[in-house]
Amino acid sequence: MIEILYEYAFSVIDYTYILLAFLLLEGKEIKFKKNILPIMVVALIQQLTEIIELPLFFGSLKDGILIVSFLLIIGKSFKKITFLHALMIDSLFALFLTLGITIATLCSIDIMKTFVFGLYRLCFTLVLKVFVCSCLIMTVIQFKKKRILISQKNYSIFISCFIICEIITSLISQFSTHMQMKFFMVILIGIACLILYILINYSILMKKNYDVELYKKMSDLTENQMQNFIIEQKETRKLSMIQK
């Protein structure tokens, strides 16, 4: 019973900071009192789905679907941008979670031992959750500071990259229990981080190009207005000369 409550409490913590990151990204007001019931409900669903024993790869994908669905319901919107934000939060959460597990594996921490209820698992889980929460919130804050442009042109690119990252992190979770696969895990996590890095830099470049195009349009519009003004002034002068 204690183990079940322990797992449930950590699920509540997970969904709390996942929701916090999503609301920050959406630019919405954070009201945890209003959302505490949905958090508790989805955490309960999370625990119930754990009864079904699945390979870690499919279990990770199942958790991703649950997180995205939860965020879309909380956001009360099924627009493309809301879906993208939900998928982004889920992908980043999975990425930092697997990054923490990979670091632990490289440090020769016995991951199999963390599946056994006890003080060892409690300490490992607490450290891992602090790490994931800190990385997730900091990344979202930096993402908002960059004011990355998401348009119709690059929407599909964002979706594709986040889905690829989701699949890669699911593969890493599958290999996390095999110490001999740790170097393969490093390669996979490196690929996922590289995809995210390229995506963000591509988006920044798109934003700069958009700003340049917008500036040119505004400049052209101003020149056209000046030309119209000059033409109007010339016509006014001609009329004045005719009247004289």
Side-chain angles (χ1 to χ4, degrees):
M1 185 64 183
I2 296 174
E3 185 177 356
I4 294 171
L5 291 173
Y6 160 88
E7 294 292 344
Y8 179 71
F10 277 119
S11 289
V12 169
I13 292 170
D14 279 339
Y15 283 101
T16 299
Y17 66 74
I18 284 171
L19 179 60
L20 172 62
F22 176 72
L23 293 176
L24 283 173
L25 190 60
E26 285 274 286
K28 293 182 178 179
E29 189 177 355
I30 300 166
K31 294 180 180 179
F32 283 114
K33 288 183 179 179
K34 181 181 177 182
N35 295 316
I36 188 63
L37 183 59
I39 288 172
M40 293 179 71
V41 170
V42 75
L44 180 60
I45 294 171
Q46 169 77 36
Q47 292 306 302
L48 291 174
T49 56
E50 292 297 327
I51 296 172
I52 305 170
E53 292 187 6
L54 293 170
L56 289 174
F57 176 80
F58 294 106
S60 179
L61 290 179
K62 177 263 298 177
D63 292 342
I65 293 170
L66 188 60
I67 290 171
V68 171
S69 301
F70 165 67
L71 295 178
L72 289 175
I73 292 169
I74 290 292
K76 296 178 181 178
S77 173
F78 292 91
K79 293 179 180 178
K80 291 169 74 174
I81 189 66
T82 309
F83 174 72
L84 181 60
H85 284 166
L87 183 61
M88 176 184 172
I89 294 299
D90 174 52
S91 298
L92 289 174
F93 169 74
L95 178 63
F96 294 129
L97 181 62
T98 50
L99 178 61
I101 292 171
T102 303
I103 293 171
T105 304
L106 290 174
C107 294
S108 299
I109 294 174
D110 190 351
I111 299 298
M112 288 300 295
K113 200 173 177 181
T114 63
F115 290 107
V116 181
F117 179 69
L119 185 61
Y120 184 90
R121 183 179 181 182
L122 177 64
C123 294
F124 176 82
T125 306
L126 280 172
V127 172
L128 183 61
K129 291 196 183 304
V130 169
F131 172 78
V132 175
C133 178
S134 302
C135 291
L136 183 60
I137 299 300
M138 285 191 295
T139 303
V140 169
I141 291 172
Q142 289 301 314
F143 195 87
K144 285 186 70 68
K145 280 183 179 179
K146 297 290 184 182
R147 295 181 181 180
I148 291 173
L149 178 68
I150 300 174
S151 64
Q152 292 292 336
K153 291 181 180 179
N154 61 10
Y155 179 82
S156 58
I157 296 174
F158 269 90
I159 291 290
S160 301
C161 288
F162 287 136
I163 289 174
I164 291 170
C165 285
E166 186 76 25
I167 293 171
I168 289 174
T169 52
S170 297
L171 282 172
I172 294 170
S173 65
Q174 183 68 46
F175 298 134
S176 61
T177 55
H178 304 286
M179 290 294 289
Q180 64 270 25
M181 301 294 290
K182 59 183 179 182
F183 294 111
F184 186 57
M185 289 169 61
V186 172
I187 293 171
L188 287 176
I189 201 74
I191 292 171
C193 291
L194 181 63
I195 289 172
L196 184 64
Y197 176 79
I198 292 173
L199 180 64
I200 290 174
N201 279 276
Y202 165 76
S203 303
I204 292 171
L205 181 63
M206 287 284 290
K207 179 68 166 62
K208 287 180 179 178
N209 291 339
Y210 174 80
D211 290 340
V212 169
E213 288 179 8
L214 185 63
Y215 177 77
K216 286 181 178 179
K217 286 181 181 179
M218 291 180 67
S219 298
D220 292 341
L221 181 63
T222 304
E223 289 177 5
N224 290 334
Q225 288 176 337
M226 288 297 294
Q227 288 295 327
N228 290 334
F229 178 76
I230 292 170
I231 292 170
E232 287 177 2
Q233 289 297 313
K234 285 182 179 179
E235 290 179 351
T236 303
R237 285 178 184 176
K238 284 181 182 179
L239 287 172
S240 298
M241 290 295 292
I242 291 171
Q243 286 176 354
K244 286 180 179 181

